[in-house]
């Protein structure tokens, strides 16, 4: 089992409603490849966590990198893992547009990371703790 985390910047022509269609496609594809994960979208920045079979995740990441709907795709971390974080979610998604106070914490972590990654508040998106927190908050 393998995971990776990347960040990218949205192409401004890619609007919120199109993200919905992209997600539908992504969820169908990911389910068929047994890939699970989470996509966060905040202030024009995507943070995505993908996990599954290494070859399948890397192949998907290759197509994601070529996608014109975002730019500056930057791999933040990748590693072998023993178990899945998002075992029942083909692609959890949060855009932080709703007024959910529980997500404020996650927004703070993301903003801190996207502004100055080196001195960001912990847990950072490169750590397991961040995605465990994301999973809990998105569930609640
Ligand atoms: C931010 C972002 C995240 C994406 N995540 C996924 C994903 O998890 N699974 C997926 O199948 N496609 C995802 N896509 C879409 C892929 O980039 C691509 O369109 C899809 O794999 C089809 O590629 P193909 O046209 O080369 O077959 C994502 C696109 C963007 C912009």
């Amino acid at each position: 089992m393998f995971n990776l985390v990347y960040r990218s910047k949205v192409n401004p022509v890619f609007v919120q409603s199109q993200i919905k269609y992209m997600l539908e496609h992504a969820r169908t594809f990911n389910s068929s490849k047994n890939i699970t994960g989470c996509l966060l979208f905040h202030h024009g920045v995507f943070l995505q966590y993908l996990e599954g079979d290494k070859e399948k995740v890397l192949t998907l990441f290759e197509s994601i990198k070529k996608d014109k709907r975002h730019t500056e795709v930057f791999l933040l971390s990748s590693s072998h893992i023993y178990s899945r974080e998002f075992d029942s979610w083909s692609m959890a998604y949060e855009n932080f547009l709703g007024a959910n106070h529980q997500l404020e914490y996650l927004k703070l972590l993301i903003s801190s990371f996207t502004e100055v990654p080196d001195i960001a508040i912990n847990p950072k998106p490169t750590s397991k703790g961040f995605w465990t927190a994301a999973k809990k908050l998105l569930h609640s």
Side-chain angles (χ1 to χ4, degrees), residues 6-11 14 19 22-33 35-41 45-50 59-71 73 90-91 93:
Y6 74 84
R7 61 166 287 187
S8 64
K9 282 194 184 154
V10 70
N11 178 337
F14 185 34
I19 294 183
M22 187 279 288
L23 275 174
E24 279 169 18
H25 166 91
R27 288 182 175 137
T28 308
F29 179 84
N30 294 0
S31 295
S32 75
K33 301 285 177 198
I35 292 172
T36 49
C38 182
L39 177 65
L40 303 176
F41 180 54
V45 172
F46 287 113
L47 268 172
Q48 191 173 28
Y49 173 102
L50 292 166
T59 305
L60 171 61
F61 187 51
E62 282 310 306
S63 8
I64 289 177
K65 278 196 282 189
K66 289 185 209 134
D67 199 313
K68 299 271 187 297
R69 293 173 285 192
H70 60 174
T71 57
V73 180
S90 56
M91 190 46 59
Y93 176 68

Side-chain angles (χ1 to χ4, degrees), residues 67-125:
D67 199 313
K68 299 271 187 297
R69 293 173 285 192
H70 60 174
T71 57
E72 298 174 47
V73 180
F74 182 75
L75 182 67
L76 296 170
S77 68
S78 66
S79 57
H80 288 279
I81 48 170
Y82 293 102
S83 62
R84 286 176 194 263
E85 197 61 56
F86 292 92
D87 48 356
S88 55
W89 289 354
S90 56
M91 190 46 59
Y93 176 68
E94 179 56 50
N95 58 17
F96 302 101
L97 294 177
N100 179 347
H101 294 298
Q102 301 212 311
L103 296 174
E104 292 301 319
Y105 166 64
L106 205 53
K107 274 203 257 186
L108 182 70
L109 295 180
I110 296 172
S111 299
S112 149
F113 182 79
T114 52
E115 280 155 29
V116 197
D118 290 346
I119 54 161
I121 310 170
N122 280 314
K124 301 179 192 187

Side-chain angles (χ1 to χ4, degrees), residues 124-138:
K124 301 179 192 187
T126 46
S127 74
K128 180 174 159 59
F130 176 92
W131 296 99
T132 307
K135 182 174 69 173
K136 283 199 187 120
L137 292 169
L138 301 189

